[in-house]
Amino acid sequence: GELGQEFGFIEVPVEVEYKLLNNKFGMSVIGGFSTLFLNNNEIYSISNGEKTLLGEATNIKNTSFSTNLGLGVYYNITKNINLNVEPTFKYQINTFDNTSGEFNPYFIGIYSGIKYKF
């Protein structure tokens, strides 16, 4: 059999963006923090294709935090519409209790989208 764990968070970010370039192509630095609320915490076993819930981890805090740092690159299609790509590094703080050694997870993400300004 196998042993598995899933946990997830709802993230509430507070970030500041500073524009370095503001032309047809633009660039900005993004920094801030997030509050993370635990919304999924499961430990399960898988045997013969059957998934059985065993319980939850007791060393994950219900509320934790992360520091966020990123770089925004965007292209202004019109005055009100732009395309953006934001590679971001997020370092979690105060997420786990009673671990063997210091363990603070981090995430590297690439966020992209279309922004419309009213």
Side-chain angles (χ1 to χ4, degrees):
E2 296 178 39
L3 188 62
Q5 180 178 9
E6 292 180 12
F7 56 93
F9 299 93
I10 295 174
E11 178 181 11
V12 180
V14 176
E15 296 177 336
V16 175
E17 181 176 359
Y18 180 76
K19 292 186 178 182
L20 301 172
L21 296 172
N22 195 16
N23 300 318
K24 190 80 168 166
F25 286 97
M27 185 178 290
S28 61
V29 175
I30 303 163
F33 66 93
S34 294
T35 303
L36 303 164
F37 300 100
L38 184 67
N39 74 332
N40 184 21
N41 181 4
E42 296 178 340
I43 297 175
Y44 54 87
S45 69
I46 300 173
S47 180
N48 297 326
E50 299 261 338
K51 185 175 175 179
T52 305
L53 181 64
L54 300 175
E56 61 183 38
T58 58
N59 67 337
I60 303 175
K61 294 185 177 181
N62 288 325
T63 304
S64 60
F65 305 94
S66 74
T67 58
N68 307 338
L69 183 62
L71 181 67
V73 178
Y74 56 92
Y75 174 73
N76 291 314
I77 297 171
T78 68
K79 181 181 171 187
N80 296 338
I81 300 173
N82 70 34
L83 300 172
N84 62 324
V85 176
E86 299 174 352
T88 304
F89 175 79
K90 296 183 178 193
Y91 182 76
Q92 282 188 264
I93 302 167
N94 197 33
T95 304
F96 298 100
D97 276 330
N98 302 323
T99 60
S100 58
E102 289 290 319
F103 177 68
N104 291 314
Y106 61 90
F107 300 94
I108 297 174
I110 298 177
Y111 304 94
S112 62
I114 298 172
K115 187 185 291 184
Y116 179 77
K117 298 177 189 175
F118 292 96

